[in-house]
Amino acid sequence: MGEGRIKRAFKYRFYPTSDQAEQLEQTFGCVRKVYNMALEARSRAWTDERRRIRYPETSAMLTEWKKSGEFSYLCEVSSVPLQQALRHLQSAFDGFFAKRSGRPRFKSRKRSRKSAEYTRSAFGWRDGELTLAKMRAPLDIRWSRALPLDAQPTTVTVSRDAAGRWFVCVLVEDQPSRNPITDEAVGIDLGLHSLATLSTGEKVTHPRFGRRDSGRLARAQRELARKENGSRNQAKARRKVAVIHARIADRRRDFLHKLSTRLVQENQLVVIEDLPVRNLMRNRALARSIADASWADLRGMLEYKCAWYGRELVVVDRFLPSSRTCSACGLVRGAVALGVREWTCDGCGSRHERDHNAAQNILAAGQAVSACGAGVRPQRNPSGRAFGDEAGKAIARAVGVPVPRDGEMSNGKLLERDGLLDRVVLGAEQFADDGRVAVRTHAEVR
């Protein structure tokens, strides 16, 4: 892959013929069967013999399975998706042993995603037509957007969702055009009242796509609950529920793509918070609204789009007191209830709108991090002492707080640098000392 080029996937809908649909369904089943048999073989080898089996051994097992009469139907589909299933299983175990993910689980016929992956040797690409192995006619693809000029697909993934829609994902090499460099920067405070509040004062309305269709979804789910298990009517009702879920997900994804693209195109620096979405979802009163907001999806889009288009993304730590810090003087007040949308600073008397104030503090911290090349996390070090650091002082200056000179006493403790810590966290903590505002900083020095 050339310099500056990336691998990019383009997803399209297609409409298979009855023969193509039958063959693809058979391929999906064979992929699932091979994955489960290989997972069972690897688990049994470890349980019985404490022996690890890797991809080459499972590939040899696949050859033996094809020769047996019991699994001879595996020869009726292309061998490439079956080999790719074994590679995916190997990747899943690698992630498990590296503690990046959980232990691989068996694929279910009803709940698992139906997909098959074809590499370059298992499909034909000519004059904009895609023909898969074992098929005579090309797929009827709806080219909703053009592929990059002179693009040559390297991998093709065919899938079918729960709503019965067929998709083909084409992986090609592309070189995104870099946007002109700009001086604009934006801090983003994510929330539920407004999906995003920008440091410029703009508020992005929360579309609440899930709430809009909640009535239709509830009716469809009640109808599904009344159907007899295993009946055709139950399958039809389940399809209706899936269609509504797909509609909600598609509209939400489209909205987030447009928002993230606009933010990346307009700003050179984008600063967001590291929100603990998984922990926040444990709040039963807010879980549905948080899921409908899809903060994690928006962050993921910003990450790869900033990398594509030459922008910088800074993620400040979740413990930064952005909502409680005065963006005018830097004074940190006590806890602020979620219902309090505006508050007045006791130090300078400034009136703040909660989310806009937080976005301004997030931007200030992100600009300091961008300039100094460190992370932001307001947390005391184990020794309890405060540390002076250039990056921490930059954060303090960015929010307009006077910075004590090196060696100056602050709150009875000397601001100094501890060279013994191999991992100290950078942040800025404001506190009141004898009627004046000072800054206590913690530095991360590796």
Side-chain angles (χ1 to χ4, degrees):
M1 189 164 57
E3 183 179 358
R5 298 183 67 85
I6 62 173
K7 288 186 176 181
R8 189 174 180 181
F10 292 81
K11 191 174 182 179
Y12 305 94
R13 282 196 70 175
F14 76 98
Y15 297 86
T17 63
S18 57
D19 293 338
Q20 289 175 340
E22 182 180 356
Q23 186 172 2
L24 288 174
E25 287 287 359
Q26 185 179 7
T27 303
F28 296 157
C30 292
V31 167
R32 183 180 64 253
K33 182 65 174 178
V34 168
Y35 185 95
N36 289 341
M37 289 195 300
L39 176 56
E40 182 182 4
R42 296 182 64 145
S43 301
R44 189 187 312 113
W46 176 256
T47 302
D48 298 341
E49 307 173 22
R50 286 295 186 269
R51 179 170 58 92
R52 288 187 178 179
I53 298 179
R54 299 187 63 83
Y55 167 75
E57 289 85 351
T58 56
S59 181
M61 292 178 183
L62 176 59
T63 303
E64 297 299 325
W65 293 335
K66 288 183 177 180
K67 294 179 180 179
S68 65
E70 183 180 0
F71 305 113
S72 58
Y73 57 85
L74 296 176
C75 299
E76 299 176 5
V77 301
S78 173
S79 62
V80 173
L82 307 183
Q83 294 287 348
Q84 291 298 102
L86 299 180
R87 291 188 175 94
H88 293 165
L89 178 61
Q90 180 61 51
S91 299
F93 270 105
D94 291 342
F96 169 66
F97 291 132
K99 297 183 179 180
R100 296 191 303 266
S101 59
R103 185 178 181 85
R105 296 181 295 180
F106 291 99
K107 293 184 178 293
S108 168
R109 181 175 63 87
K110 295 182 179 180
R111 294 184 297 273
S112 297
R113 177 173 178 263
K114 296 182 178 181
S115 66
E117 184 176 282
Y118 296 80
T119 57
R120 191 66 185 87
S121 61
F123 65 86
W125 173 259
R126 185 176 181 181
D127 298 331
E129 292 186 340
L130 180 65
T131 306
L132 300 179
K134 301 283 188 177
M135 293 185 183
R136 298 179 180 179
L139 299 180
D140 182 14
I141 301 176
R142 299 295 187 265
W143 300 102
S144 54
R145 54 176 175 165
L147 289 174
L149 189 63
D150 299 329
Q152 292 295 327
T154 57
T155 304
V156 170
T157 303
V158 180
S159 61
R160 186 185 184 190
D161 64 5
R165 303 178 299 176
W166 293 86
F167 294 96
V168 56
C169 190
V170 182
L171 185 66
V172 299
E173 288 188 6
D174 187 23
Q175 187 167 6
S177 58
R178 295 298 180 101
N179 292 336
I181 297 178
T182 177
D183 295 332
E184 299 297 326
V186 65
I188 307 173
D189 179 68
L190 301 177
L192 297 178
H193 290 272
S194 299
L195 178 64
T197 301
L198 309 185
S199 56
T200 58
E202 177 187 353
K203 287 183 174 291
V204 179
T205 304
H206 192 342
R208 305 182 190 277
F209 294 114
R211 182 174 296 181
R212 291 184 188 181
D213 288 344
S214 60
R216 296 177 55 195
L217 181 60
R219 287 192 297 271
Q221 289 174 330
R222 285 195 297 267
E223 292 177 3
L224 174 60
R226 289 193 290 264
K227 304 303 180 184
E228 182 181 353
N229 288 335
S231 64
R232 291 188 177 182
N233 286 335
Q234 186 188 48
K236 294 178 182 179
R238 184 180 293 112
R239 178 75 58 85
K240 290 182 180 180
V241 173
V243 168
I244 298 174
H245 277 298
R247 167 186 165 87
I248 295 172
D250 290 345
R251 296 171 68 191
R252 182 189 297 122
R253 189 182 306 109
D254 178 71
F255 178 83
L256 294 179
H257 270 299
K258 292 177 180 178
L259 173 61
S260 59
T261 299
R262 178 172 69 88
L263 293 174
V264 170
Q265 289 179 345
E266 294 178 353
N267 300 278
Q268 185 68 30
L269 173 66
V270 181
V271 189
I272 59 175
E273 282 184 296
D274 180 23
L275 294 177
V277 179
R278 181 176 299 179
N279 295 338
L280 293 174
M281 287 289 289
R282 296 175 182 174
N283 187 330
R284 298 182 61 183
L286 300 176
R288 179 175 294 182
S289 297
I290 293 173
D292 199 11
S294 293
W295 295 331
D297 290 344
L298 178 59
R299 172 177 172 174
M301 293 177 185
L302 290 174
E303 286 177 348
Y304 73 77
K305 289 180 182 180
C306 284
W308 281 1
Y309 301 114
R311 304 306 197 191
E312 182 180 4
L313 177 69
V314 174
V315 182
V316 300
D317 193 85
R318 65 189 63 171
F319 297 110
L320 183 74
S322 57
S323 298
R324 300 186 292 113
T325 303
C326 175
S327 58
C329 70
L331 180 66
V332 179
R333 60 171 293 172
V336 182
L338 289 176
V340 178
R341 309 313 305 170
E342 294 185 356
W343 56 275
T344 302
C345 177
D346 297 332
C348 63
S350 300
R351 184 72 176 174
H352 295 296
E353 198 278 327
R354 178 194 182 105
D355 295 337
H356 183 214
N357 175 73
Q360 289 180 315
N361 288 327
I362 291 171
L363 174 61
Q367 288 174 327
V369 171
S370 177
C372 302
V376 175
R377 186 176 184 183
Q379 171 181 313
R380 298 194 180 190
N381 60 78
S383 65
R385 291 179 295 175
F387 299 91
D389 185 85
E390 294 303 323
K393 295 176 183 179
I395 296 175
R397 296 188 186 99
V399 298
V401 181
V403 182
R405 295 185 298 272
D406 290 339
E408 182 177 357
M409 295 299 294
S410 177
N411 197 23
K413 296 181 180 179
L414 185 65
L415 286 172
E416 60 180 356
R417 181 188 297 273
D418 187 352
L420 301 178
L421 293 181
D422 56 358
R423 187 179 188 278
V424 191
V425 187
L426 165 69
E429 179 185 356
Q430 292 80 14
F431 62 97
D433 183 23
D434 297 332
R436 67 177 177 83
V437 177
V439 175
R440 183 166 46 197
T441 60
H442 315 288
E444 180 163 277
V445 183
R446 292 183 182 276

